């Protein structure tokens, strides 16, 4: 498995991967997804050859705050360390950055706790309509 920043030639295949894995409502059409990525500071794609296994993205100032916005691994490839590798690629060795995320999907809290995240008592959110 290889994990790297997304390359321009991988943008549309990643969008299709996300749509096929339950994220169509968050990626939009090709132009919307390109805009989403242009406002993303960190990306990670996991590949086995040409096959996309997973994708993650993070929004950060690189100094103090980071938001892990998306971590997606195709169901047949889950529980093989791919999600962990994606998260490590996004968060890197930025020990000064406090990374936050929303862990609402089934199993997400346990997964992220294994990577050093903990439930926050201070976070707030303003939900989209």
């Amino acid at each position: 498995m290889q994990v790297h920043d997304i390359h321009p030639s991988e943008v549309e295949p990643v969008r299709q991967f996300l749509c096929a894995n339950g994220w169509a409502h968050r990626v939009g059409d090709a132009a919307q997804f390109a805009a989403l990525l242009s406002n993303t500071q960190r990306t990670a794609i996991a590949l086995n050859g040409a096959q996309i296994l997973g994708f993650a993205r993070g929004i950060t100032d690189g100094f103090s705050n980071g938001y892990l916005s998306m971590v997606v691994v195709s169901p047949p490839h889950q529980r093989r360390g791919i999600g962990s590798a994606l998260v490590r690629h996004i968060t890197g060795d930025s020990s000064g950055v406090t990374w936050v995320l929303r862990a609402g999907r089934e199993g997400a809290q346990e997964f992220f706790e294994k990577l050093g995240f903990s439930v926050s008592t201070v976070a707030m959110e303003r939900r989209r309509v």
Side-chain angles (χ1 to χ4, degrees):
M1 175 187 67
Q2 177 188 8
V3 176
H4 63 256
D5 295 347
I6 190 171
H7 299 148
S9 64
E10 296 167 329
V11 171
E12 181 57 17
V14 165
R15 189 186 74 80
Q16 292 174 7
F17 166 83
L18 292 169
C19 289
N21 284 281
W23 287 78
H25 63 294
R26 294 286 181 249
V27 299
D29 62 24
Q32 291 167 321
F33 187 59
L36 178 144
L37 288 180
S38 72
N39 291 306
T40 299
Q41 289 77 31
R42 299 192 184 173
T43 61
I45 181 173
L47 298 165
N48 182 13
Q51 181 184 16
I52 299 172
L53 307 176
F55 175 76
R57 74 181 193 107
I59 302 164
T60 182
D61 58 21
F63 177 74
S64 180
N65 299 300
Y67 174 60
L68 188 56
S69 173
M70 184 182 293
V71 179
V72 181
V73 176
S74 62
H77 299 99
Q78 292 175 357
R79 301 195 188 330
R80 296 183 185 177
I82 298 166
S84 298
L86 291 167
V87 171
R88 283 192 301 273
H89 187 87
I90 295 293
T91 59
D93 60 358
S94 51
S95 61
V97 175
T98 297
W99 287 91
V100 297
L101 56 89
R102 296 179 72 200
R105 292 184 181 238
E106 184 180 333
Q109 181 175 333
E110 295 80 13
F111 169 76
F112 288 109
E113 284 176 342
K114 290 177 184 176
L115 295 171
F117 288 83
S118 59
V119 175
S120 173
T121 59
V122 296
M124 298 177 72
E125 66 181 358
R126 185 176 78 180
R127 293 179 178 251
R128 59 183 151 277
V129 180

